[in-house]
Amino acid sequence: PTSVLGKCYERPNFAAKVNALLAEAARLAKGDAILEKRIARDKEFFNSDWVGAFKAYAKGKQKEYNARKREGKIIIDGNLNEMDWKECAFGTDFNVFNEKEEIKADPQTFVRILYDIDTLYFAIEGVKEKGIKTNPADLAKADGLPALDGTHFEIFLTPANWNGKYYQLGFSQNGKFYQALTTGGSSRDFSLKLNPDFKCKDLAARWILEAKVDISKLGVKISDGSVWKINIARSARKKDGKHQLSSWSTNGVFHGSDVHRSVAFGSKGAV
């Protein structure tokens, strides 16, 4: 994936060393038409795939969302009518999952995040494709992994200094949910349960998730000015029956906290 190539490229002097090796190989192969052609192709591959992956990775790292500190009481009912939500900034710009380039998702998704010292609050609104109606066959059948089938949102939480681990939450359109501590798409630890309080509302033009997550169970607290990596992802059914995968991170990735969006807590941003 681009995140892996981009992260490797970021290492000190990596690009200079590779270019030096390619130049030396070209010098040694001078006069051998076949070798010269192979080395030229390797250089082209490096510039297109590795350099391109690094640009996508770096662009993703620079995105930052500022979560708002909660002031009033939040009732988890899916209505989002509290003043805190009304004054909270939106995060959007979701990209379709694609390892080679950024493609803007259509329809888009809009995210708001509130916090206090030991709780995160999420308001996620997924716009529906015009004219689409909820299909019963698209609804999750149970909690756990089945909640990640069909139309759903996913939230990935990476507190500071977690060294590759992150907590994954999934919420289906019809109120089923998934939770696990993980280090990747196939690594899951179901023993640590956050059991968030949440409400899903399925409306004509969009569906809404409002969630309250007690992060004290992760053994962490949130301080003003701190920064976490948080990814918000979505699977949305289109009119053709296929699902579009997207997220607000680089190239629409789901897993991989190194390229998840940075979220700074407080109006002043990272401290």
Side-chain angles (χ1 to χ4, degrees), residues 85-264:
W85 287 131
K86 293 177 180 179
E87 295 182 349
C88 187
F90 281 95
T92 184
D93 198 27
F94 275 56
N95 297 303
V96 175
F97 175 61
N98 185 301
E99 293 185 352
K100 294 184 178 180
E101 59 182 331
E102 286 197 351
I103 302 172
K104 297 305 175 188
D106 183 20
Q108 271 291 324
T109 306
F110 299 86
V111 180
R112 285 172 282 178
I113 303 175
L114 299 170
Y115 75 97
D116 55 43
I117 191 171
D118 54 14
T119 310
L120 284 170
Y121 302 83
F122 294 90
I124 307 177
E125 299 176 70
V127 177
K128 296 180 180 179
E129 190 172 23
K130 189 175 181 179
I132 199 167
K133 295 182 179 180
T134 300
N135 185 344
D138 185 50
L139 302 178
K141 301 298 189 292
D143 293 329
L145 284 171
L148 303 184
D149 294 331
T151 298
H152 67 275
F153 292 130
E154 295 184 41
I155 299 173
F156 301 80
L157 304 174
T158 307
N161 303 316
W162 259 37
N163 300 319
K165 294 186 298 181
Y166 47 97
Y167 201 90
Q168 180 186 3
L169 296 161
F171 304 87
S172 74
Q173 188 174 358
N174 61 322
K176 304 300 181 183
F177 83 102
Y178 166 91
Q179 56 184 342
L181 180 66
T182 183
T183 55
S186 59
S187 171
R188 305 180 182 95
D189 178 358
F190 296 107
S191 62
L192 179 58
K193 299 184 183 299
L194 299 188
N195 294 327
D197 182 13
F198 69 96
K199 176 69 175 180
C200 296
K201 294 193 74 171
D202 189 9
L203 306 177
R206 70 192 193 282
W207 76 280
I208 297 171
L209 167 70
E210 185 174 23
K212 175 182 178 181
V213 184
D214 179 1
I215 54 93
S216 66
K217 297 175 182 178
L218 300 176
V220 298
K221 294 184 181 297
I222 300 174
S223 58
D224 297 345
S226 62
V227 178
W228 287 24
K229 290 284 190 174
I230 296 180
N231 192 24
I232 310 295
R234 177 188 182 189
S235 174
R237 187 173 67 88
K238 305 278 283 182
K239 284 184 179 178
D240 60 7
K242 297 180 180 179
H243 279 81
Q244 182 185 83
L245 303 179
S246 64
S247 81
W248 73 352
S249 294
T250 302
N251 292 1
V253 299
F254 277 49
H255 291 272
S257 59
D258 54 308
V259 291
H260 287 169
R261 186 176 289 196
S262 296
V263 172

Side-chain angles (χ1 to χ4, degrees), residues 64-68 115 225-228 262-270:
E64 182 178 283
Y65 172 85
N66 287 96
R68 176 183 173 87
Y115 75 97
S226 62
V227 178
W228 287 24
S262 296
V263 172
F265 296 102
S267 59
K268 295 182 179 179

